[in-house]
């Protein structure tokens, strides 16, 4: 058995059968010669359990003899310490990929514990971003650097980047629970999130007044529509007749959003079985996408709902005119809102900002953040604080009050005190 060298391996002939030639210097190290003459370096060893393993190190030509011998020596040293490198390699090949983890996470977690909207969002972001970048990697091999690189690639859309990391973090957290990764090894944990510009938009009293006028106009004489200047405009009705009524259902939905602070989907999907006029409650989701629970509401929304005529054989509070078996779609309400907000000169306001408006108006009353939390059905006051937007008037009033006192002190005169408006206290029942 000669010592393997480049020359001796090059000269090994093909004889129509697979054979092995072993090295005289390192026991267990050899070269496999295939039927057609292809050559690959191997190392053979026996585990402590007595199993014989033969492991391929690489092709001759890709590896030199010396490189292959060095790799073989590392394998044999590991075996002497009780390892089984061949079994480790097989286990790695059989280990689940990120694509497999994401599939299981969606089936065993998102579909069970999250809302349909969250399912749609998760599948969309995984398919658009996570799978192309990480899908083929083994779950256990994904590093902080891999996830950080993906996060960095989305830096132009910081909110999207942060959301993706949050979704992935939950999936890798489940990977630890399911034994796909070691405990406390979530690769998303160290990713620094981008600063997001949280939207602070709510309707002022003047804007609410304009919106109310637009709603009344939309349900009585209709909202005007504009001439786009096209040749077809010559055949349009006279300007005074260019008005279109907006259907009652989307207008009532928009008013219900303003009176309750609910989410659009929660009201579009409201059924009569969710309404209890005597108890003055609606059954609304306890959290986003959660099970509907009894929730107290005010007189305005109850009077609005009491005035709606129920459609026979339809469970929906707001059914479609053409098909009462289905509820009014969110798209119909959005289209109505586009026209209303333009007429009211509040074109930067989204429907979800009505929820911000409810939170901000509630915060002005002086009630605790816990009461506002319960009104908006948030899981924590941290989320509520994002909805109780900054209101300049109380701060401006306080600044005037403080400034008057300081200016008077500087002038050596008595301050002309500007009384602060007292917040209405809640009566104890």
């Amino acid at each position: 058995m000669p010592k393997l060298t480049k020359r001796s391996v090059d000269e090994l002939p093909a004889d129509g059968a697979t054979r092995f030639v072993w090295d005289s210097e390192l026991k267990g190290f050899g070269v496999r010669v295939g039927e057609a003459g292809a050559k690959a370096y191997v190392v053979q060893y026996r585990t402590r359990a007595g199993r014989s393993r033969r492991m391929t190190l690489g092709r001759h030509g890709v590896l030199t003899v010396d490189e292959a011998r060095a790799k073989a020596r590392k394998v044999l040293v590991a075996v002497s310490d009780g390892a089984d490198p061949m079994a480790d390699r097989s286990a790695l090949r059989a280990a689940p990929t990120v694509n497999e983890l994401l599939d299981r996470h969606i089936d065993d977690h998102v579909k069970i514990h999250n809302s349909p909207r969250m399912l749609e969002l998760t599948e969309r972001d995984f398919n658009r971003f996570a799978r192309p970048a990480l899908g083929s990697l083994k779950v256990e091999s994904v590093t902080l650097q891999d996830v950080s690189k993906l996060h960095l690639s989305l830096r132009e859309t910081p909110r999207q980047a942060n959301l993706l990391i949050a979704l992935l973090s939950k999936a890798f957290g489940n990977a630890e629970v399911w034994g796909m990764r070691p405990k406390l090894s979530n690769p998303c944990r160290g990713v620094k999130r981008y600063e997001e510009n949280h939207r602070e938009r709510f309707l002022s009293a003047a804007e609410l007044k304009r919106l109310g006028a637009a709603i009344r106009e939309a349900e009585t004489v209709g909202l005007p529509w504009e001439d786009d200047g096209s040749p077809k405009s010559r055949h349009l009705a006279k300007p005074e007749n260019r008005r279109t009524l907006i259907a009652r259902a989307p207008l009532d939905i928009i008013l219900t959003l303003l009176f309750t602070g609910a989410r659009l989907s929660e009201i579009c999907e409201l059924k009569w079985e969710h309404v209890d006029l005597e108890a003055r409650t609606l059954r609304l989701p306890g959290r986003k996408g959660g099970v509907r629970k009894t929730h107290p509401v005010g007189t305005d929304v109850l009077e609005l709902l009491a005035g709606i005529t129920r459609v026979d054989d339809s469970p929906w509070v707001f059914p479609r005119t053409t098909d009462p078996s289905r509820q009014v779609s969110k798209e119909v309400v959005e289209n109505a809102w586009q026209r209303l907000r333009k007429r009211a000169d509040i074109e930067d306001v989204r429907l979800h900002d009505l929820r911000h408006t409810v939170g901000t108006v509630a915060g002005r009353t002086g009630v605790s953040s816990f009461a506002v939390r319960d009104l908006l059905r948030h899981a924590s006051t941290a989320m509520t604080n994002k909805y109780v937007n900054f209101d300049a008037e109380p701060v401006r009033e306080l600044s005037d009050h403080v400034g008057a006192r300081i200016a008077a002190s500087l002038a050596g005169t008595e301050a002309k005190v500007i009384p602060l408006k007292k917040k209405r206290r809640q009566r104890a029942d």
Side-chain angles (χ1 to χ4, degrees):
M1 189 181 340
K3 176 182 178 180
L4 295 179
T5 63
K6 180 181 183 305
R7 181 175 179 178
S8 66
V9 174
D10 285 340
E11 292 177 349
L12 289 173
D15 60 4
T18 299
R19 58 197 178 94
F20 294 88
V21 178
W22 302 101
D23 183 49
S24 60
E25 182 178 276
L26 182 63
K27 184 179 180 181
F29 172 56
V31 61
R32 181 181 65 240
V33 183
E35 296 179 5
K39 300 160 188 173
Y41 295 106
V42 298
V43 60
Q44 186 162 314
Y45 63 90
R46 188 173 295 277
T47 67
R48 287 188 176 180
R51 294 183 177 275
S52 180
R53 308 280 199 199
R54 185 180 296 146
M55 184 175 178
T56 301
L57 302 172
R59 287 184 300 158
H60 172 60
V62 176
L63 290 178
T64 67
V65 177
D66 291 338
E67 289 170 341
R69 185 180 284 108
K71 290 184 71 173
R73 184 171 284 109
K74 288 182 179 180
V75 170
L76 294 172
V77 169
V79 170
S80 68
D81 290 335
D84 187 354
M86 186 67 179
D88 293 342
R89 177 185 287 184
S90 298
L92 180 60
R93 287 175 179 171
T97 64
V98 172
N99 274 334
E100 292 171 319
L101 166 63
L102 300 184
D103 289 340
R104 182 174 177 184
H105 173 67
I106 289 172
D107 290 338
D108 294 357
H109 181 84
V110 182
K111 289 182 179 179
I112 297 173
H113 300 291
N114 296 132
S115 66
R117 172 59 181 159
M118 179 56 71
L119 171 61
E120 178 186 348
L121 185 68
T122 302
E123 289 182 327
R124 184 199 69 186
D125 285 6
F126 282 175
N127 292 337
R128 287 178 62 187
F129 307 113
R131 293 185 190 274
L134 307 172
S136 61
L137 300 179
K138 299 295 184 179
V139 174
E140 192 172 0
S141 69
V142 176
T143 64
L144 171 61
Q145 289 71 30
D146 294 324
V147 180
S148 295
K149 183 179 179 180
L150 175 57
H151 189 240
L152 182 64
S153 71
L154 298 173
R155 60 186 176 278
E156 298 300 326
T157 52
R159 186 173 181 275
Q160 174 68 77
N162 292 345
L163 174 60
L164 178 63
I165 295 304
L167 296 175
L168 279 174
S169 181
K170 186 60 182 177
F172 279 106
N174 279 333
E176 295 180 17
V177 174
W178 297 329
M180 296 180 179
R181 286 183 68 96
K183 294 292 185 182
L184 304 177
S185 68
N186 192 324
C188 301
R189 187 168 288 119
V191 177
K192 182 176 177 58
R193 307 304 200 263
Y194 295 119
E195 183 176 348
E196 299 179 34
N197 295 322
H198 291 291
R199 181 182 174 92
E200 293 187 355
R201 185 65 171 99
F202 62 95
L203 292 170
S204 66
E207 289 172 330
L208 283 169
K209 183 178 180 180
R210 296 201 301 271
L211 176 59
I215 290 174
R216 290 188 293 275
E217 187 178 8
E219 66 181 343
T220 54
V221 298
L223 295 182
W225 41 279
E226 299 176 357
D227 181 356
D228 61 4
S230 66
K232 294 182 179 180
S233 64
R234 292 178 300 175
H235 306 290
L236 298 176
K238 294 180 180 181
E240 61 270 21
N241 296 327
R242 295 176 187 174
R243 288 179 174 271
T244 306
L245 293 170
I246 292 181
R248 185 69 254 171
L251 293 178
D252 283 343
I253 289 173
I254 290 169
L255 287 171
T256 304
L257 295 178
L258 265 173
F259 290 144
T260 62
R263 302 174 182 88
L264 177 56
S265 61
E266 296 170 349
I267 300 304
C268 285
E269 297 169 5
L270 192 68
K271 296 181 179 180
W272 285 115
E273 65 185 60
H274 301 147
V275 180
D276 190 336
L277 296 177
E278 291 186 4
R280 301 168 58 83
T281 62
L282 298 181
R283 283 173 55 201
L284 297 172
R287 62 178 179 83
K288 188 184 295 185
V291 177
R292 287 182 178 256
K293 299 179 180 179
T294 300
H295 185 73
V297 292
T299 302
D300 293 290
V301 68
L302 292 170
E303 290 180 350
L304 185 154
L305 295 174
I308 295 176
T309 302
R310 301 193 187 193
V311 177
D312 292 339
D313 300 325
S314 177
W316 307 106
V317 175
F318 303 107
R320 297 189 186 186
T321 304
T322 56
D323 184 4
S325 66
R326 302 172 67 188
Q327 76 271 25
V328 170
S329 69
K330 291 190 291 185
E331 290 74 20
V332 168
V333 184
E334 287 283 1
N335 289 338
W337 177 249
Q338 299 300 320
R339 298 190 62 202
L340 283 171
R341 71 177 188 173
K342 185 173 184 179
R343 187 60 172 167
D345 194 23
I346 50 172
E347 293 192 65
D348 65 323
V349 178
R350 308 167 305 175
L351 271 174
H352 196 69
D353 291 329
L354 302 185
R355 185 166 166 82
H356 287 256
T357 299
V358 172
T360 301
V361 172
R364 287 178 183 170
T365 65
V367 299
S368 71
S369 59
F370 297 102
V372 182
R373 176 201 65 189
D374 293 340
L375 174 68
L376 298 178
R377 293 163 292 119
H378 285 146
S380 67
T381 54
M383 177 59 72
T384 301
N385 291 336
K386 296 180 180 180
Y387 282 76
V388 182
N389 300 128
F390 175 73
D391 186 1
E393 288 308 316
V395 179
R396 186 178 293 114
E397 182 186 353
L398 179 60
S399 180
D400 286 341
H401 184 84
V402 173
R405 289 183 176 274
I406 293 176
S409 298
L410 290 172
T413 61
E414 278 194 31
K416 183 180 179 181
V417 178
I418 303 174
L420 292 175
K421 296 177 182 177
K422 293 183 179 180
K423 293 182 178 179
R424 184 182 298 173
R425 293 183 180 178
Q426 288 182 300
R427 291 176 58 188
D429 294 330

